[in-house]
Amino acid sequence: MGTRHDSPAPLEIVIPAYNEAVRLPAGLGLLSDKLATLPASAQIVVVDNASTDGTAEFVRSWRGPVPVRLLRCERRGKGAAVRTGLLATSAPYIGYMDADMATDLAALDAVLTLLRQGHPVVVGSRRHGRSVAEGYKLPARRLGALTFNRVVRDLAGGIPDTQCGFKFFSGPLGRAAAADLRTAGFSFDVELLAHCVRRGVTVTDIPVVWRDRPGSTFSVRRHSLQCVFELARIRSRARRPARRPVPRPPRAAVPERADPDLAEGLVLPDGGLPSTSGAGPG
């Protein structure tokens, strides 16, 4: 099941995977190589979302420069898989990303810097003014993305792109928000961020370089109504008080090699529909 270490790493990254035997080898290789260059140890948690292909077998046989764990989530849906993975972490900093690595991993340097500076939630935003998007040109998806993000912006701390599959949290906050998460489908990102915001924290969005990858399971025609119902339930839950506040983590020294200006140094003017790669249909 890959390399294992008993002691928790400072950073754990969850990858939800539904039938990703084809795309996961390249994605896991890229992520492992990048994590090995960071000024902090890291681990990867792959959550097999009831796959029917060789996803689990591949992860079990994986050997790379950073430890990899394999979990199984029988409930279909990317939200269910991400929840399972986040709740299984124990690191001070945690996050999740898609198996296709559509978001350029250079942004991890900025993420780690900001988390160590005390920012409790750091997310990639394809609508950040300095982001770059490649291959995201279908008119229906662009219009749907803009509409979706305008509808949910108030729930997610005002960020313009809730659906980029590149989100990181202080460990205690991320696990508390994941424990409250009930949405298994495509809108789960919104609910997860809403649970963070109602605990009184600020969401920091950073620019990313994002490249569209083939294999998305989201369809504007087939899944829009599902998203409407999901958002109605999320709004209802967001009005409830948080089960318990999460203390802000202490500020840690920024490693010398990390550039504090990295959050402003990357550059996707496109909005984002629900990020869909890496997990079963909701």
Side-chain angles (χ1 to χ4, degrees):
M1 161 177 325
T3 308
R4 294 291 303 274
H5 289 175
D6 293 332
S7 58
L11 174 65
E12 287 180 274
I13 296 179
V14 173
I15 301 178
Y18 171 70
N19 288 347
E20 290 287 1
V22 173
R23 298 194 300 180
L24 193 57
L28 200 55
L30 288 171
L31 180 57
S32 296
D33 289 345
K34 175 59 182 177
L35 293 178
T37 71
L38 294 180
S41 61
Q43 294 184 10
I44 300 169
V45 180
V46 178
V47 181
D48 175 15
N49 193 199
S51 298
T52 57
D53 65 354
T55 295
E57 289 74 14
F58 168 75
V59 177
R60 289 191 189 99
S61 66
W62 172 261
R63 296 294 182 272
V66 298
V68 176
R69 281 197 289 160
L70 174 66
L71 301 177
R72 176 82 173 180
C73 175
E74 293 294 343
R75 184 185 181 192
R76 286 287 181 86
K78 187 176 179 182
V82 168
R83 182 180 190 272
T84 296
L86 293 180
L87 290 178
T89 64
S90 58
Y93 310 121
I94 61 177
Y96 63 91
M97 61 179 61
D98 295 333
D100 62 4
M101 302 297 147
T103 302
D104 193 293
L105 298 178
L108 283 172
D109 294 282
V111 166
L112 186 58
T113 295
L114 290 167
L115 288 173
R116 288 187 162 187
Q117 287 176 342
H119 295 261
V121 185
V122 181
V123 303
S125 173
R126 295 166 292 183
R127 289 192 58 77
H128 191 288
R130 301 181 68 177
S131 290
V132 171
E134 298 178 7
Y136 193 56
K137 299 178 180 179
L138 293 178
R141 291 193 67 182
R142 290 171 64 91
L143 178 60
L146 290 171
T147 302
F148 184 91
N149 283 301
R150 285 173 181 169
V151 168
V152 304
R153 195 165 183 170
D154 63 307
L155 290 171
I159 64 170
D161 179 11
T162 62
Q163 303 310 113
C164 181
F166 194 80
K167 294 182 173 65
F168 295 84
F169 314 85
S170 70
L173 173 64
R175 286 183 284 272
D180 289 345
L181 181 63
R182 296 294 177 266
T183 303
F186 295 119
S187 303
F188 84 93
D189 301 79
V190 177
E191 185 183 353
L192 191 61
L193 291 175
H195 289 317
C196 292
V197 170
R198 70 193 182 104
R199 286 175 165 85
V201 305
T202 300
V203 179
T204 302
D205 63 330
I206 63 171
V208 294
V209 175
W210 184 88
R211 300 174 180 88
D212 192 23
R213 306 293 194 194
S216 171
T217 59
F218 184 84
S219 165
V220 174
R221 179 178 57 83
R222 289 186 292 110
H223 295 118
S224 293
L225 187 59
Q226 172 188 337
C227 287
V228 169
F229 287 125
E230 288 177 348
L231 291 178
R233 289 192 292 266
I234 290 169
R235 284 195 178 278
S236 176
R237 294 176 190 133
R239 298 189 185 101
R240 305 170 189 169
R243 293 180 181 177
R244 57 190 177 277
V246 177
R248 181 180 292 272
R251 290 176 178 266
V254 180
E256 291 184 0
R257 70 177 298 277
D259 181 356
D261 295 325
L262 277 173
E264 297 301 324
L266 297 173
V267 266
L268 169 82
D270 292 326
L273 279 172
S275 184
T276 58
S277 79

